[in-house]
Amino acid sequence: MSSSCLIFFVSNSIFLLSLFSLTIHAHRCTENFISETLSRNLTLCKRYKHRNGVEFGWKVENTTTQTLQVMVGARLDGETGWLAWGLNLGPEPRMVGTQALIGIKQTNGSFLGNTYNVTQYIKIGCNLLPTPIDLNVSNLTFGFLGHIQYHIIEATIYLPQTVDISRINHVWQVGKVAIGMEPKFHEKTLKNYDSTEIIDLQTGTSLSIRSARRHQARVAHGILSIIGWGVILPIGVIIARYFKKGPIHWNAHDQWKHAHKACQACGYIFGATGWAIGLWLGNYSKYYSFPKHGAYGISIFTFATLQTLALRLKPHKNDELHTYWSIYHLSLGYALLIVICVNIFKGIKILQEEETWKPTYIAIISSIAFIFFVFEITNWIKFKVDQLKSKEELSKQIH
């Protein structure tokens, strides 16, 4: 039972992981944006659908100077907002050290663009205000294209010959709040933190291997946690509750007990593996964290470990501690299921997979809840029927 359970869920997990690992961050630009790039003689275009939805069009002319013509577009739906794009000529693609072009949507309906030098002081609360940058920038404009509902930054940048355009760090960002010419801090979500890339400007090829691996690790963490904690463990609970005394009887040779232990072991292995990947992701993410999600995850792993150990330390039926052990095991088990559901939804929100993963998981837990409900009703009806039979037999004996 245990080996077949493991084989089944391992094969399914590998299949799911292979599907999700095909997800890439960059997509084909929208038709409207492509039309705009072509009208400006830009030759390359990328759309970062899952990283703020920014679209980036550009052209490189490598003559006596490396001339980079760019157009960056995104939707700014609020009364105010800002759009930023820039190059970081340092060793890695990150916000600090970026020489940025930022366009700000003002409350009075005007659009202003300027250059900004993003320093480490911004992270400790200093204001980000327009400053000269080292890059030679001309024709910087920020405006709104009403027919495609996009706000657009356009500029021409003259790069030094020392800059390797086949491997360069570029950064983009979208924010909802700005005061005057000062863009305020963006949202603290993965789509914002991931808005960086190492790119070959000659071909448009992404060279961000670490980013791709991090994305795959997040997907693996999510899928393993959902399968282990969120699916197999509840199935094990159903087996323990309803396959022992009914409505389904697996009492021969303690079948229900072996099936329960196998499911709990499989669930623990998958969940603990997902949790370990989550710990690695937490340590790997130097510039951001999700403390509540992490705290819930540690609690789940700790209590799941206690539940697993409790099976080894179960008192004998005739032992007076058996009743207390059962109360503890059941109470902690049901509480654990609630915390697991809450944290899975938190994780789905962090991954911004609410359009796909969320309805899928809702369907899964709804199915499990429906099985619980049907079995509970069946047991209640059986209890009432047995109660009536007992009363009838008792009345016959009296008469």
Side-chain angles (χ1 to χ4, degrees):
M1 186 74 183
S2 178
S3 60
S4 61
C5 177
L6 267 174
I7 292 169
F8 173 77
F9 283 107
V10 166
S11 61
N12 277 277
S13 297
I14 292 171
F15 173 70
L16 288 170
L17 287 171
S18 65
L19 286 179
F20 281 105
S21 65
L22 293 175
T23 304
I24 55 175
H25 289 299
H27 297 74
R28 176 179 169 81
C29 289
T30 57
E31 293 299 327
N32 288 331
F33 193 80
I34 289 176
S35 297
E36 295 297 325
T37 60
L38 292 176
S39 68
R40 292 162 174 77
N41 295 320
L42 304 182
T43 54
L44 294 166
C45 186
K46 294 184 81 171
R47 180 188 179 203
Y48 300 96
K49 182 179 178 181
H50 298 301
R51 290 188 279 182
N52 281 318
V54 168
E55 300 197 50
F56 173 45
W58 74 98
K59 179 177 70 173
V60 176
E61 294 180 355
N62 197 349
T63 54
T64 53
T65 59
Q66 298 185 109
T67 304
L68 173 63
Q69 186 180 348
V70 300
M71 182 174 78
V72 184
R75 296 178 66 95
L76 301 177
D77 295 324
E79 184 181 359
T80 65
W82 54 271
L83 171 63
W85 177 88
L87 297 175
N88 189 325
L89 302 182
E92 59 181 328
R94 53 180 297 209
M95 178 185 71
V96 173
T98 297
Q99 299 176 61
L101 315 177
I102 301 181
I104 296 180
K105 179 183 178 182
Q106 304 288 322
T107 53
N108 61 9
S110 61
F111 305 98
L112 302 175
N114 215 321
T115 57
Y116 293 74
N117 191 18
V118 185
T119 66
Q120 60 183 348
Y121 300 108
I122 303 304
K123 297 188 70 174
I124 60 174
C126 294
N127 297 337
L128 179 60
L129 296 170
T131 53
I133 60 176
D134 294 335
L135 296 174
N136 184 0
V137 180
S138 67
N139 304 322
L140 171 60
T141 62
F142 176 62
F144 178 64
L145 299 180
H147 61 288
I148 65 171
Q149 296 294 301
Y150 261 31
H151 294 77
I152 301 290
I153 292 175
E154 295 183 76
T156 301
I157 303 168
Y158 302 97
L159 298 170
Q161 288 292 336
T162 53
V163 173
D164 182 7
I165 60 173
S166 66
R167 185 180 178 86
I168 195 167
N169 306 317
H170 79 126
V171 179
W172 62 94
Q173 198 54 262
V174 173
K176 294 182 177 180
V177 180
I179 300 176
M181 289 302 293
E182 180 192 353
K184 293 298 184 179
F185 206 84
H186 56 74
E187 292 182 315
K188 297 180 179 180
T189 64
L190 286 182
K191 68 180 181 182
N192 296 97
Y193 293 128
D194 286 349
S195 295
T196 66
E197 183 183 48
I198 304 172
I199 190 173
D200 181 349
L201 288 175
Q202 298 172 109
T203 63
T205 304
S206 175
L207 305 175
S208 303
I209 298 174
R210 287 184 181 179
S211 178
R213 288 176 178 171
R214 186 169 62 240
H215 175 70
Q216 291 173 349
R218 288 171 185 163
V219 171
H221 164 68
I223 291 177
L224 289 171
S225 298
I226 289 172
I227 290 175
W229 302 137
V231 178
I232 305 179
L233 286 189
I235 290 173
V237 172
I238 290 175
I239 290 172
R241 183 168 178 80
Y242 301 112
F243 285 45
K244 180 182 179 182
K245 297 180 179 179
I248 299 173
H249 297 279
W250 276 12
N251 291 324
H253 309 293
D254 286 335
Q255 288 175 311
W256 72 268
K257 188 181 294 184
H258 297 310
H260 172 65
K261 288 181 177 179
C263 277
Q264 301 308 81
C266 289
Y268 183 82
I269 291 169
F270 276 80
T273 304
W275 175 76
I277 294 172
L279 284 183
W280 177 82
L281 285 168
N283 292 328
Y284 186 85
S285 306
K286 296 184 289 184
Y287 308 114
Y288 58 87
S289 63
F290 301 96
K292 288 184 179 179
H293 181 61
Y296 277 124
I298 292 171
S299 300
I300 290 167
F301 173 77
T302 302
F303 292 129
T305 302
L306 290 175
Q307 287 290 76
T308 303
L309 293 174
L311 292 173
R312 294 284 184 182
L313 303 174
K314 182 179 180 180
H316 194 269
K317 284 185 179 180
N318 298 327
D319 195 314
E320 61 180 9
L321 294 176
H322 184 270
T323 302
Y324 299 106
W325 179 91
S326 297
I327 293 171
Y328 152 78
H329 190 62
L330 288 172
S331 302
L332 184 58
Y334 286 122
L336 185 59
L337 291 182
I338 294 170
V339 177
I340 285 169
C341 283
V342 170
N343 206 37
I344 284 175
F345 282 118
K346 282 184 174 292
I348 290 172
K349 185 176 181 180
I350 290 170
L351 283 176
Q352 285 115 33
E353 295 288 355
E354 293 171 291
E355 293 182 3
T356 52
W357 290 29
K358 187 174 181 179
T360 301
Y361 187 61
I362 288 174
I364 291 171
I365 60 173
S366 297
S367 300
I368 293 172
F370 177 74
I371 293 170
F372 267 106
F373 179 75
V374 170
F375 282 173
E376 279 295 324
I377 294 296
T378 305
N379 275 353
W380 181 80
I381 293 172
K382 183 178 180 295
F383 170 75
K384 286 297 183 181
V385 170
D386 291 343
Q387 195 177 49
L388 286 173
K389 286 181 178 179
S390 298
K391 287 181 179 180
E392 288 176 0
E393 290 176 359
L394 184 62
S395 63
K396 285 179 181 179
Q397 291 174 1
I398 292 174
H399 295 295

